[in-house]
Amino acid sequence: MADKFQTPKGVHDILPDDHDYYTFIKKVVRHRLRQAGFRRISTPIFEATEVFQRSIGNDTDIVQKEMYTFSDKKGRSLTLKPEGTAGVVRAYIEHGMAQWPQPVELYYVEPHFRYDRPQKGRYRQFWQFGFEVIGETDPALDAQVIKLAYQIHEDLGVADLLSLQINTIGTPESREKYQMALKDYYIGKERSLCEDCNNRLHTNPMRLLDCKEEDCRILAQLAPKMENFLDSDSKEFHEDLKDFLDGMGIKYEENPQLVRGLDYYTKTVFEFWDAKEGAQNSVGGGGRYDGLVELMGGQPTPAVGYAGGIERIIANMKREKIRVPKKDNLHVFVVQLGKDAKLKCLPLINKMRERGIKTMGAIGKDSLRIQLGIADKFETPWAVIVGLTEVREGVAIIRDMEKGIQETVDFEDIIPSIIKKIGDKSLDKYSPGELIY
Ligand code: AMP
């Protein structure tokens, strides 16, 4: 026998039971963001590698270690997107969105790819929803972005499990001074730092502050604080943000160690942490990135955004035994015996589906016993049985699968009878919406 295939390391199939969660989360995200004026964007799964190098920053973990980069047949370097903001900003510039009414509010729900070490909550393909407000600056916008993320968590029943961490990392100028001070502080202490931090010290010293290794964490506690290097504008911006969060009753923790793993942030940065597990299990993060559009070749344009990890939210929901509505369960299995019955049942099945009755039938088996057995396996509460006699008499049998009780109804009465039994509310009614010509 040939070897069986398996998914590559770190990636997973999303099976139907899990899709119930994805579908529900996507619905919440879509509704909350649409209410706030956001429109959906999808950027390609891969971009020119340079898009990520330039935006995320060459010295970050993502660019150094985690990108899926490959050459196409013409030798162009391409990379599967490890995060969403870079592509959205590239699209903002490419499509002249600076000419659209500002701010431009966009959201996405997409798979992302990182060559991470697979472990709980860390995969090589994962889904993120994210949203960006591009073209305006105001701490009230940062507060609104945080509030939207919070509302989405609330709708998903996980808001109380998460703690909001906020910080400001100032402007690039104030940050440069801070980074010098950090280097001065860490130089001479290299032997206490992990290997990664030793490498980061000269390229990206702020990343030493959020290292998870015990020794690095102790040193980070005593390191110089950003607040002593902040410019007055960033300070005021941060105070205003906190006032707005307080005004909306959103609880937060100030965390001077929070720096986020990407270079493009300015001023506000924030993350939602699992209150029990802390930084290891951040379900999402974001911040302000006022310099990114310009860095990517556009006009100077302020922006703020957020991205949340869907798998981690699902893990939280499951841990708390939060379930989502199941939409896939069938209502009816149509048992048909013989070709004449099939001829009558095929249009019936279609009509039932159009009315919102989730129906399965016309399976390639002819025996009543076998077909009822299939209905049982699919756990349909009702079966409609049509054999030769029923075709001749213009009737059908409706069987209550759990109780085993049967009744005979006129063929025309099948649909109303079933709807009465299952209730109008459980119908899977579908309207594609009106087309505009
Ligand atoms: P980041 O921008 O790296 O903070 O990512 C934002 C969110 O995406 C994180 O808080 C996680 O919820 C999720 N995420 C990031 N990387 C992974 C991964 N490798 N596997 C699963 N989820 C991830």
Side-chain angles (χ1 to χ4, degrees):
M1 214 164 51
D3 286 345
K4 279 191 195 151
F5 290 115
Q6 285 187 336
T7 49
K9 188 172 173 187
V11 298
H12 303 281
D13 298 311
I14 304 174
L15 297 179
D17 280 347
D18 271 335
H19 256 300
D20 291 338
Y21 282 90
Y22 283 81
T23 306
F24 192 83
I25 294 172
K26 284 180 198 169
K27 189 169 109 181
V28 166
V29 167
R30 211 174 57 229
H31 279 274
R32 278 292 177 200
L33 292 170
R34 204 158 58 197
Q35 284 174 345
F38 286 75
R39 300 183 68 203
R40 185 164 177 179
I41 183 167
S42 288
T43 60
I45 295 290
F46 56 83
E47 300 263 0
T49 301
E50 176 75 13
V51 168
F52 303 115
Q53 282 171 335
R54 176 110 53 99
S55 58
I56 300 168
N58 254 327
D59 299 323
T60 57
D61 281 0
I62 294 182
V63 171
Q64 287 284 316
K65 298 194 261 184
E66 296 172 2
M67 296 210 300
Y68 276 95
T69 298
F70 58 97
S71 298
D72 71 4
K73 291 190 196 304
K74 287 262 169 75
R76 304 174 191 99
S77 179
L78 301 170
T79 294
L80 301 185
K81 57 180 167 188
E83 58 91 55
T85 304
V88 172
V89 168
R90 194 260 315 126
Y92 179 90
I93 299 166
E94 182 172 339
H95 302 287
M97 292 186 205
Q99 306 309 317
W100 296 11
Q102 305 291 301
V104 174
E105 297 188 329
L106 298 169
Y107 76 96
Y108 57 83
V109 186
E110 304 270 317
H112 293 85
F113 305 84
R114 290 186 197 173
Y115 193 78
D116 245 330
R117 195 157 52 85
Q119 51 189 296
K120 192 178 136 232
R122 202 165 281 284
Y123 311 109
R124 290 184 173 173
Q125 174 176 341
F126 55 96
W127 282 75
Q128 280 184 339
F129 67 86
F131 46 101
E132 321 282 356
V133 181
I134 310 176
E136 281 281 7
T137 182
D138 192 312
L141 286 173
D142 304 34
Q144 264 190 54
V145 164
I146 291 175
K147 171 74 176 170
L148 277 166
Y150 184 83
Q151 280 176 316
I152 290 169
H153 298 152
E154 246 180 349
D155 291 351
L156 297 172
V158 297
D160 292 342
L161 312 175
L162 306 176
S163 84
L164 169 61
Q165 309 281 311
I166 63 168
N167 190 22
T168 176
I169 55 170
T171 56
E173 296 76 37
S174 57
R175 210 152 60 221
E176 204 161 304
K177 284 187 213 138
Y178 180 48
Q179 286 178 330
M180 300 276 277
L182 280 177
K183 272 190 203 168
D184 283 349
Y185 166 77
Y186 278 111
I187 283 173
K189 300 185 177 67
E190 287 93 338
R191 274 197 297 164
S192 309
L193 294 172
C194 72
E195 194 187 329
D196 274 349
C197 281
N198 263 301
N199 294 331
R200 290 174 190 141
L201 174 56
H202 297 285
T203 54
N204 199 353
M206 281 171 72
R207 287 305 309 280
L208 272 66
L209 298 176
D210 71 353
C211 180
K212 314 290 183 290
E213 297 291 329
E214 185 68 26
D215 286 350
C216 302
R217 270 171 43 190
I218 294 167
L219 279 181
Q221 298 274 336
L222 303 170
K225 300 275 180 281
M226 179 74 210
E227 61 186 13
N228 300 324
F229 298 84
L230 270 186
D231 53 287
S232 58
D233 181 38
S234 297
K235 240 184 222 166
E236 197 182 318
F237 196 93
H238 196 59
E239 290 307 313
D240 285 347
L241 167 65
K242 288 190 286 181
D243 288 342
F244 292 131
L245 291 176
D246 292 337
M248 289 190 288
I250 296 178
K251 292 203 187 73
Y252 53 85
E253 275 177 43
E254 286 206 71
N255 180 346
Q257 248 95 278
L258 185 75
V259 295
R260 308 266 305 129
L262 309 93
D263 268 3
Y264 53 61
Y265 288 108
T266 47
K267 295 182 179 162
T268 311
V269 290
F270 63 96
E271 283 186 4
F272 285 92
W273 287 2
D274 185 315
K276 285 188 194 144
E277 296 184 38
Q280 286 294 357
N281 255 335
S282 138
V283 305
R288 178 156 283 285
Y289 50 95
D290 288 348
L292 184 57
V293 178
E294 191 180 8
L295 184 70
M296 299 286 285
Q299 296 298 317
T301 311
V304 57
Y306 174 74
I310 295 187
E311 285 79 6
R312 296 216 189 146
I313 290 182
I314 295 176
N316 270 282
M317 292 173 81
K318 285 187 174 170
R319 199 186 60 203
E320 298 300 315
K321 307 212 162 22
I322 300 170
R323 291 186 305 173
V324 292
K326 277 200 162 312
K327 295 271 174 76
D328 292 346
N329 50 334
L330 287 162
H331 295 125
V332 174
F333 190 93
V334 177
V335 175
Q336 30 62 41
L337 305 164
K339 185 165 176 187
D340 284 349
K342 232 178 232 178
L343 272 171
K344 276 205 94 160
C345 286
L346 281 176
L348 171 72
I349 289 170
N350 281 328
K351 237 188 249 163
M352 288 167 83
R353 290 174 181 165
E354 264 172 28
R355 293 295 299 276
I357 304 169
K358 286 175 275 181
T359 310
M360 197 172 169
I363 297 281
K365 300 273 188 295
D366 265 345
S367 117
L368 174 67
R369 196 178 53 80
I370 292 177
Q371 289 192 53
L372 282 178
I374 298 171
D376 230 13
K377 286 200 185 118
F378 281 101
E379 296 180 349
T380 62
W382 304 95
V384 170
I385 305 168
V386 183
L388 279 182
T389 322
E390 285 73 29
V391 173
R392 208 177 317 117
E393 294 176 6
V395 295
I397 296 165
I398 298 180
R399 181 182 173 90
D400 179 329
M401 291 298 292
E402 202 183 298
K403 298 195 182 115
I405 301 168
Q406 303 194 156
E407 63 178 305
T408 302
V409 299
D410 281 346
F411 208 80
E412 284 65 42
D413 290 338
I414 299 173
I415 291 179
S417 304
I418 296 278
I419 292 179
K420 214 160 140 200
K421 290 177 196 306
I422 64 176
D424 202 51
K425 270 207 194 120
S426 81
L427 292 176
D428 192 349
K429 283 189 193 153
Y430 158 73
S431 150
E434 270 179 46
L435 294 173
I436 301 154
Y437 292 96

